[in-house]
Amino acid sequence: MSHWYRAGLAFALTLVGARAEGQANAGDAAVVVRAARLLDVKAGRYVDNPVVVVRGERIESVTSGGPLPGGARVIDLGDATLLPGLIDAHSHLLKNNAPRFFDGNNLVRDVTSENTATRVLRGAAMAREDLEAGITTVRDVGNSGINGDVALRDAIENGYVPGPRIMACTRALSPTGGQFPRLASESQELIEREYVPVNGADEARKAVRQAIYYGADCIKVIVDAGPLLMSREELDAIVTEAHRYGRTVAAHAASEAAIRVATEAHVNSIEHAFALQEDLARSMATNGVFLVPNDYPLDVYLMGVPRTPEQRRESEQQYRWFTTRSRNRLAIAVRSGVRIAAGSDMYNDIGMSRGAASLLILGAYAEAGLPPVEIVRAITINAAELLGKAGDIGSLERGKYADMIAVPGDPLRDALTLQRARFVMKGGRVVRNDAARP
């Protein structure tokens, strides 16, 4: 063992020890968070004058006007509403594309002009912006190069960079070609930088095991890509293998055929589901499949794309049809008893922070007629249950992580107040406190 290796190892162990000591010290002293009210997202009602006692990373108690522990540091947020940290069940933190390019062209640009390290560094910036907006957990569903999302997750967990908790999917499993446009035969190797194409049940099982080996917390599968569709046998193999190892399965499915086969295979969630109809929605509800709708208000689809007035009118007409159809399918899902988990699918630079842009989905949910309490649940407890993490996140309860935000106003009347977090805590550490600024 060389001198430099021993010195480096000693330095690393010193850093680890210092971090562990800091965490232990943080656990000795209590922090109390107070506000005018706290939203119990499960019951859908407020707790007045809450006292949330935090010790270390977790919540020790939640009471109404209860006593304060001796020596506790008190954070009094005044006339604000406390809620659990928000959860984005469909993020792409390592992407921030120019909206003037089509998705297929952006994919080619991602894998040919940038290496994974560059994309991870961008992801660190996007992660910080998510966290500062109150998004304390994300499920990152691919388009991260070869395991870039795992690297970012580990960097955040080790305290190297700030960001939300990340459930990483690694590369998405897909039909041949992934979601790329048709590529020349000499360029086919580019596909495997972003996707793991599978053909047959045996390859599907192998791909799941490979993803888990690389550090996947969940499995993303592209059910329909252009004219190609995953088979029932392939999906059954993916779901069975993933569930065997305690991983959930997120299924990109846009067409009726894709929604049907994914539902029959008992995936955990269907992303998008643009072609959802009443019968498919009832099947999703029966099979306990969540819908993750990645919808936005009309104005958002028109952001950031330079157009002539004539082009803008044409785009507005097209997107108006699309948004109307999207609102109708979300209403169908809700009427049919499908559980909704919020997911942004935000991956474009539209001129605002990633966190602020991602939370614009809440406006679309409101336009579809979701009551405010259900919008709040979609981005908290429902998303936590989809991710299999309801024991740790999604509500403010004893024993859960101290992930919380404070917003002005009344989220039970206007869920869009969640877009205006003025206090953010993750794991007992204050990320943002606007009231404390000079």
Side-chain angles (χ1 to χ4, degrees), residues 224-250:
D224 52 348
L228 300 181
L229 184 74
M230 281 270 191
S231 71
R232 173 66 187 276
E233 292 73 22
E234 289 166 339
L235 283 171
D236 281 344
I238 290 168
V239 172
T240 299
E241 201 68 9
H243 288 178
R244 177 186 173 196
Y245 290 101
R247 268 62 170 186
T248 57
V249 178

PDB file of all heavy atoms in Angstrom, residues 224-250:
ATOM      1  N   ASP A 224     -44.366   1.339 -24.857  1.00  0.00           N
ATOM      2  CA  ASP A 224     -44.549   1.605 -26.283  1.00  0.00           C
ATOM      3  C   ASP A 224     -43.568   2.687 -26.723  1.00  0.00           C
ATOM      4  O   ASP A 224     -43.452   3.738 -26.104  1.00  0.00           O
ATOM      5  CB  ASP A 224     -45.981   2.001 -26.629  1.00  0.00           C
ATOM      6  CG  ASP A 224     -46.527   3.139 -25.778  1.00  0.00           C
ATOM      7  OD1 ASP A 224     -45.897   3.493 -24.757  1.00  0.00           O
ATOM      8  OD2 ASP A 224     -47.604   3.668 -26.133  1.00  0.00           O
ATOM      9  N   ALA A 225     -42.865   2.389 -27.806  1.00  0.00           N
ATOM     10  CA  ALA A 225     -41.897   3.321 -28.390  1.00  0.00           C
ATOM     11  C   ALA A 225     -42.102   3.292 -29.893  1.00  0.00           C
ATOM     12  O   ALA A 225     -41.741   2.320 -30.557  1.00  0.00           O
ATOM     13  CB  ALA A 225     -40.475   2.924 -28.031  1.00  0.00           C
ATOM     14  N   GLY A 226     -42.713   4.356 -30.428  1.00  0.00           N
ATOM     15  CA  GLY A 226     -43.052   4.344 -31.848  1.00  0.00           C
ATOM     16  C   GLY A 226     -44.009   3.198 -32.133  1.00  0.00           C
ATOM     17  O   GLY A 226     -44.975   2.973 -31.392  1.00  0.00           O
ATOM     18  N   PRO A 227     -43.741   2.402 -33.164  1.00  0.00           N
ATOM     19  CA  PRO A 227     -44.636   1.286 -33.488  1.00  0.00           C
ATOM     20  C   PRO A 227     -44.391   0.034 -32.644  1.00  0.00           C
ATOM     21  O   PRO A 227     -45.156  -0.932 -32.737  1.00  0.00           O
ATOM     22  CB  PRO A 227     -44.316   1.002 -34.963  1.00  0.00           C
ATOM     23  CG  PRO A 227     -42.870   1.385 -35.096  1.00  0.00           C
ATOM     24  CD  PRO A 227     -42.672   2.561 -34.171  1.00  0.00           C
ATOM     25  N   LEU A 228     -43.339   0.038 -31.825  1.00  0.00           N
ATOM     26  CA  LEU A 228     -42.968  -1.164 -31.095  1.00  0.00           C
ATOM     27  C   LEU A 228     -43.615  -1.180 -29.718  1.00  0.00           C
ATOM     28  O   LEU A 228     -43.760  -0.151 -29.060  1.00  0.00           O
ATOM     29  CB  LEU A 228     -41.455  -1.262 -30.962  1.00  0.00           C
ATOM     30  CG  LEU A 228     -40.672  -1.317 -32.278  1.00  0.00           C
ATOM     31  CD1 LEU A 228     -39.177  -1.442 -32.012  1.00  0.00           C
ATOM     32  CD2 LEU A 228     -41.160  -2.474 -33.154  1.00  0.00           C
ATOM     33  N   LEU A 229     -43.970  -2.395 -29.274  1.00  0.00           N
ATOM     34  CA  LEU A 229     -44.695  -2.572 -28.012  1.00  0.00           C
ATOM     35  C   LEU A 229     -44.108  -3.748 -27.254  1.00  0.00           C
ATOM     36  O   LEU A 229     -43.874  -4.816 -27.825  1.00  0.00           O
ATOM     37  CB  LEU A 229     -46.176  -2.837 -28.303  1.00  0.00           C
ATOM     38  CG  LEU A 229     -47.137  -2.972 -27.115  1.00  0.00           C
ATOM     39  CD1 LEU A 229     -47.393  -1.603 -26.496  1.00  0.00           C
ATOM     40  CD2 LEU A 229     -48.457  -3.596 -27.568  1.00  0.00           C
ATOM     41  N   MET A 230     -43.857  -3.544 -25.961  1.00  0.00           N
ATOM     42  CA  MET A 230     -43.427  -4.657 -25.110  1.00  0.00           C
ATOM     43  C   MET A 230     -44.513  -5.729 -25.080  1.00  0.00           C
ATOM     44  O   MET A 230     -45.709  -5.420 -25.046  1.00  0.00           O
ATOM     45  CB  MET A 230     -43.186  -4.169 -23.689  1.00  0.00           C
ATOM     46  CG  MET A 230     -41.861  -3.469 -23.489  1.00  0.00           C
ATOM     47  SD  MET A 230     -40.584  -4.650 -23.033  1.00  0.00           S
ATOM     48  CE  MET A 230     -39.276  -3.506 -22.546  1.00  0.00           C
ATOM     49  N   SER A 231     -44.086  -6.978 -25.043  1.00  0.00           N
ATOM     50  CA  SER A 231     -45.056  -8.074 -24.972  1.00  0.00           C
ATOM     51  C   SER A 231     -45.482  -8.321 -23.527  1.00  0.00           C
ATOM     52  O   SER A 231     -44.807  -7.908 -22.579  1.00  0.00           O
ATOM     53  CB  SER A 231     -44.444  -9.358 -25.542  1.00  0.00           C
ATOM     54  OG  SER A 231     -43.443  -9.856 -24.667  1.00  0.00           O
ATOM     55  N   ARG A 232     -46.593  -9.019 -23.377  1.00  0.00           N
ATOM     56  CA  ARG A 232     -47.069  -9.368 -22.037  1.00  0.00           C
ATOM     57  C   ARG A 232     -46.041 -10.258 -21.333  1.00  0.00           C
ATOM     58  O   ARG A 232     -45.803 -10.106 -20.120  1.00  0.00           O
ATOM     59  CB  ARG A 232     -48.412 -10.090 -22.141  1.00  0.00           C
ATOM     60  CG  ARG A 232     -48.952 -10.662 -20.840  1.00  0.00           C
ATOM     61  CD  ARG A 232     -49.329  -9.600 -19.816  1.00  0.00           C
ATOM     62  NE  ARG A 232     -49.690 -10.186 -18.541  1.00  0.00           N
ATOM     63  CZ  ARG A 232     -50.895 -10.667 -18.234  1.00  0.00           C
ATOM     64  NH1 ARG A 232     -51.875 -10.632 -19.142  1.00  0.00           N
ATOM     65  NH2 ARG A 232     -51.137 -11.185 -17.051  1.00  0.00           N
ATOM     66  N   GLU A 233     -45.419 -11.163 -22.065  1.00  0.00           N
ATOM     67  CA  GLU A 233     -44.434 -12.056 -21.459  1.00  0.00           C
ATOM     68  C   GLU A 233     -43.229 -11.269 -20.943  1.00  0.00           C
ATOM     69  O   GLU A 233     -42.719 -11.541 -19.848  1.00  0.00           O
ATOM     70  CB  GLU A 233     -43.981 -13.118 -22.475  1.00  0.00           C
ATOM     71  CG  GLU A 233     -45.045 -14.126 -22.866  1.00  0.00           C
ATOM     72  CD  GLU A 233     -46.119 -13.550 -23.780  1.00  0.00           C
ATOM     73  OE1 GLU A 233     -45.849 -12.514 -24.449  1.00  0.00           O
ATOM     74  OE2 GLU A 233     -47.233 -14.125 -23.834  1.00  0.00           O
ATOM     75  N   GLU A 234     -42.790 -10.288 -21.711  1.00  0.00           N
ATOM     76  CA  GLU A 234     -41.655  -9.468 -21.280  1.00  0.00           C
ATOM     77  C   GLU A 234     -42.011  -8.659 -20.038  1.00  0.00           C
ATOM     78  O   GLU A 234     -41.231  -8.591 -19.070  1.00  0.00           O
ATOM     79  CB  GLU A 234     -41.229  -8.547 -22.426  1.00  0.00           C
ATOM     80  CG  GLU A 234     -40.554  -9.288 -23.579  1.00  0.00           C
ATOM     81  CD  GLU A 234     -40.447  -8.458 -24.841  1.00  0.00           C
ATOM     82  OE1 GLU A 234     -41.212  -7.480 -24.990  1.00  0.00           O
ATOM     83  OE2 GLU A 234     -39.605  -8.794 -25.698  1.00  0.00           O
ATOM     84  N   LEU A 235     -43.198  -8.059 -20.044  1.00  0.00           N
ATOM     85  CA  LEU A 235     -43.610  -7.254 -18.897  1.00  0.00           C
ATOM     86  C   LEU A 235     -43.826  -8.109 -17.659  1.00  0.00           C
ATOM     87  O   LEU A 235     -43.480  -7.704 -16.546  1.00  0.00           O
ATOM     88  CB  LEU A 235     -44.878  -6.464 -19.231  1.00  0.00           C
ATOM     89  CG  LEU A 235     -44.654  -5.231 -20.107  1.00  0.00           C
ATOM     90  CD1 LEU A 235     -45.976  -4.659 -20.560  1.00  0.00           C
ATOM     91  CD2 LEU A 235     -43.847  -4.174 -19.364  1.00  0.00           C
ATOM     92  N   ASP A 236     -44.416  -9.280 -17.838  1.00  0.00           N
ATOM     93  CA  ASP A 236     -44.592 -10.187 -16.694  1.00  0.00           C
ATOM     94  C   ASP A 236     -43.244 -10.535 -16.067  1.00  0.00           C
ATOM     95  O   ASP A 236     -43.097 -10.565 -14.834  1.00  0.00           O
ATOM     96  CB  ASP A 236     -45.296 -11.474 -17.129  1.00  0.00           C
ATOM     97  CG  ASP A 236     -46.802 -11.307 -17.283  1.00  0.00           C
ATOM     98  OD1 ASP A 236     -47.343 -10.302 -16.771  1.00  0.00           O
ATOM     99  OD2 ASP A 236     -47.435 -12.184 -17.910  1.00  0.00           O
ATOM    100  N   ALA A 237     -42.255 -10.798 -16.919  1.00  0.00           N
ATOM    101  CA  ALA A 237     -40.925 -11.137 -16.409  1.00  0.00           C
ATOM    102  C   ALA A 237     -40.311  -9.953 -15.662  1.00  0.00           C
ATOM    103  O   ALA A 237     -39.715 -10.112 -14.588  1.00  0.00           O
ATOM    104  CB  ALA A 237     -40.021 -11.572 -17.565  1.00  0.00           C
ATOM    105  N   ILE A 238     -40.476  -8.758 -16.207  1.00  0.00           N
ATOM    106  CA  ILE A 238     -39.922  -7.557 -15.571  1.00  0.00           C
ATOM    107  C   ILE A 238     -40.567  -7.324 -14.219  1.00  0.00           C
ATOM    108  O   ILE A 238     -39.878  -7.098 -13.207  1.00  0.00           O
ATOM    109  CB  ILE A 238     -40.118  -6.335 -16.495  1.00  0.00           C
ATOM    110  CG1 ILE A 238     -39.213  -6.446 -17.719  1.00  0.00           C
ATOM    111  CG2 ILE A 238     -39.847  -5.029 -15.733  1.00  0.00           C
ATOM    112  CD1 ILE A 238     -39.540  -5.453 -18.819  1.00  0.00           C
ATOM    113  N   VAL A 239     -41.892  -7.362 -14.174  1.00  0.00           N
ATOM    114  CA  VAL A 239     -42.604  -7.072 -12.926  1.00  0.00           C
ATOM    115  C   VAL A 239     -42.302  -8.139 -11.871  1.00  0.00           C
ATOM    116  O   VAL A 239     -42.029  -7.821 -10.703  1.00  0.00           O
ATOM    117  CB  VAL A 239     -44.119  -6.967 -13.186  1.00  0.00           C
ATOM    118  CG1 VAL A 239     -44.888  -6.860 -11.870  1.00  0.00           C
ATOM    119  CG2 VAL A 239     -44.419  -5.765 -14.068  1.00  0.00           C
ATOM    120  N   THR A 240     -42.343  -9.405 -12.269  1.00  0.00           N
ATOM    121  CA  THR A 240     -42.083 -10.485 -11.317  1.00  0.00           C
ATOM    122  C   THR A 240     -40.679 -10.376 -10.721  1.00  0.00           C
ATOM    123  O   THR A 240     -40.480 -10.501  -9.512  1.00  0.00           O
ATOM    124  CB  THR A 240     -42.256 -11.849 -11.997  1.00  0.00           C
ATOM    125  OG1 THR A 240     -43.603 -11.978 -12.460  1.00  0.00           O
ATOM    126  CG2 THR A 240     -41.952 -12.981 -11.025  1.00  0.00           C
ATOM    127  N   GLU A 241     -39.698 -10.126 -11.583  1.00  0.00           N
ATOM    128  CA  GLU A 241     -38.312 -10.051 -11.118  1.00  0.00           C
ATOM    129  C   GLU A 241     -38.096  -8.812 -10.242  1.00  0.00           C
ATOM    130  O   GLU A 241     -37.431  -8.880  -9.209  1.00  0.00           O
ATOM    131  CB  GLU A 241     -37.363 -10.032 -12.312  1.00  0.00           C
ATOM    132  CG  GLU A 241     -35.947 -10.447 -11.980  1.00  0.00           C
ATOM    133  CD  GLU A 241     -35.814 -11.919 -11.610  1.00  0.00           C
ATOM    134  OE1 GLU A 241     -36.785 -12.686 -11.776  1.00  0.00           O
ATOM    135  OE2 GLU A 241     -34.725 -12.304 -11.134  1.00  0.00           O
ATOM    136  N   ALA A 242     -38.668  -7.681 -10.658  1.00  0.00           N
ATOM    137  CA  ALA A 242     -38.519  -6.462  -9.863  1.00  0.00           C
ATOM    138  C   ALA A 242     -39.157  -6.618  -8.497  1.00  0.00           C
ATOM    139  O   ALA A 242     -38.562  -6.285  -7.462  1.00  0.00           O
ATOM    140  CB  ALA A 242     -39.131  -5.278 -10.605  1.00  0.00           C
ATOM    141  N   HIS A 243     -40.375  -7.134  -8.455  1.00  0.00           N
ATOM    142  CA  HIS A 243     -41.072  -7.298  -7.179  1.00  0.00           C
ATOM    143  C   HIS A 243     -40.381  -8.333  -6.295  1.00  0.00           C
ATOM    144  O   HIS A 243     -40.403  -8.221  -5.060  1.00  0.00           O
ATOM    145  CB  HIS A 243     -42.521  -7.692  -7.428  1.00  0.00           C
ATOM    146  CG  HIS A 243     -43.356  -6.569  -7.971  1.00  0.00           C
ATOM    147  ND1 HIS A 243     -44.690  -6.720  -8.298  1.00  0.00           N
ATOM    148  CD2 HIS A 243     -43.057  -5.269  -8.230  1.00  0.00           C
ATOM    149  CE1 HIS A 243     -45.163  -5.558  -8.737  1.00  0.00           C
ATOM    150  NE2 HIS A 243     -44.190  -4.679  -8.712  1.00  0.00           N
ATOM    151  N   ARG A 244     -39.760  -9.307  -6.916  1.00  0.00           N
ATOM    152  CA  ARG A 244     -39.007 -10.307  -6.148  1.00  0.00           C
ATOM    153  C   ARG A 244     -37.914  -9.658  -5.316  1.00  0.00           C
ATOM    154  O   ARG A 244     -37.612 -10.099  -4.207  1.00  0.00           O
ATOM    155  CB  ARG A 244     -38.410 -11.323  -7.127  1.00  0.00           C
ATOM    156  CG  ARG A 244     -37.536 -12.387  -6.494  1.00  0.00           C
ATOM    157  CD  ARG A 244     -36.906 -13.233  -7.584  1.00  0.00           C
ATOM    158  NE  ARG A 244     -35.929 -14.170  -7.052  1.00  0.00           N
ATOM    159  CZ  ARG A 244     -35.026 -14.805  -7.792  1.00  0.00           C
ATOM    160  NH1 ARG A 244     -34.992 -14.590  -9.095  1.00  0.00           N
ATOM    161  NH2 ARG A 244     -34.174 -15.638  -7.244  1.00  0.00           N
ATOM    162  N   TYR A 245     -37.331  -8.587  -5.851  1.00  0.00           N
ATOM    163  CA  TYR A 245     -36.252  -7.893  -5.158  1.00  0.00           C
ATOM    164  C   TYR A 245     -36.732  -6.606  -4.487  1.00  0.00           C
ATOM    165  O   TYR A 245     -35.918  -5.758  -4.113  1.00  0.00           O
ATOM    166  CB  TYR A 245     -35.119  -7.588  -6.142  1.00  0.00           C
ATOM    167  CG  TYR A 245     -34.380  -8.826  -6.589  1.00  0.00           C
ATOM    168  CD1 TYR A 245     -34.632  -9.411  -7.824  1.00  0.00           C
ATOM    169  CD2 TYR A 245     -33.441  -9.432  -5.755  1.00  0.00           C
ATOM    170  CE1 TYR A 245     -33.963 -10.546  -8.238  1.00  0.00           C
ATOM    171  CE2 TYR A 245     -32.759 -10.566  -6.165  1.00  0.00           C
ATOM    172  CZ  TYR A 245     -33.029 -11.127  -7.404  1.00  0.00           C
ATOM    173  OH  TYR A 245     -32.360 -12.266  -7.805  1.00  0.00           O
ATOM    174  N   GLY A 246     -38.034  -6.452  -4.339  1.00  0.00           N
ATOM    175  CA  GLY A 246     -38.577  -5.312  -3.619  1.00  0.00           C
ATOM    176  C   GLY A 246     -38.514  -4.000  -4.370  1.00  0.00           C
ATOM    177  O   GLY A 246     -38.547  -2.929  -3.768  1.00  0.00           O
ATOM    178  N   ARG A 247     -38.455  -4.061  -5.709  1.00  0.00           N
ATOM    179  CA  ARG A 247     -38.447  -2.847  -6.521  1.00  0.00           C
ATOM    180  C   ARG A 247     -39.802  -2.657  -7.195  1.00  0.00           C
ATOM    181  O   ARG A 247     -40.444  -3.624  -7.589  1.00  0.00           O
ATOM    182  CB  ARG A 247     -37.378  -2.916  -7.613  1.00  0.00           C
ATOM    183  CG  ARG A 247     -36.027  -2.327  -7.227  1.00  0.00           C
ATOM    184  CD  ARG A 247     -35.377  -3.046  -6.082  1.00  0.00           C
ATOM    185  NE  ARG A 247     -33.986  -2.611  -5.871  1.00  0.00           N
ATOM    186  CZ  ARG A 247     -33.172  -3.168  -5.014  1.00  0.00           C
ATOM    187  NH1 ARG A 247     -33.581  -4.188  -4.260  1.00  0.00           N
ATOM    188  NH2 ARG A 247     -31.942  -2.707  -4.867  1.00  0.00           N
ATOM    189  N   THR A 248     -40.206  -1.395  -7.312  1.00  0.00           N
ATOM    190  CA  THR A 248     -41.438  -1.078  -8.027  1.00  0.00           C
ATOM    191  C   THR A 248     -41.133  -0.856  -9.503  1.00  0.00           C
ATOM    192  O   THR A 248     -39.983  -0.662  -9.900  1.00  0.00           O
ATOM    193  CB  THR A 248     -42.101   0.174  -7.439  1.00  0.00           C
ATOM    194  OG1 THR A 248     -41.165   1.263  -7.497  1.00  0.00           O
ATOM    195  CG2 THR A 248     -42.527  -0.054  -5.991  1.00  0.00           C
ATOM    196  N   VAL A 249     -42.195  -0.877 -10.322  1.00  0.00           N
ATOM    197  CA  VAL A 249     -42.046  -0.743 -11.772  1.00  0.00           C
ATOM    198  C   VAL A 249     -42.879   0.436 -12.260  1.00  0.00           C
ATOM    199  O   VAL A 249     -44.094   0.481 -12.039  1.00  0.00           O
ATOM    200  CB  VAL A 249     -42.472  -2.024 -12.511  1.00  0.00           C
ATOM    201  CG1 VAL A 249     -42.350  -1.841 -14.025  1.00  0.00           C
ATOM    202  CG2 VAL A 249     -41.638  -3.210 -12.047  1.00  0.00           C
ATOM    203  N   ALA A 250     -42.219   1.384 -12.919  1.00  0.00           N
ATOM    204  CA  ALA A 250     -42.884   2.521 -13.558  1.00  0.00           C
ATOM    205  C   ALA A 250     -42.930   2.264 -15.056  1.00  0.00           C
ATOM    206  O   ALA A 250     -41.886   2.019 -15.674  1.00  0.00           O
ATOM    207  CB  ALA A 250     -42.129   3.816 -13.271  1.00  0.00           C
TER     208      ALA A 250
END
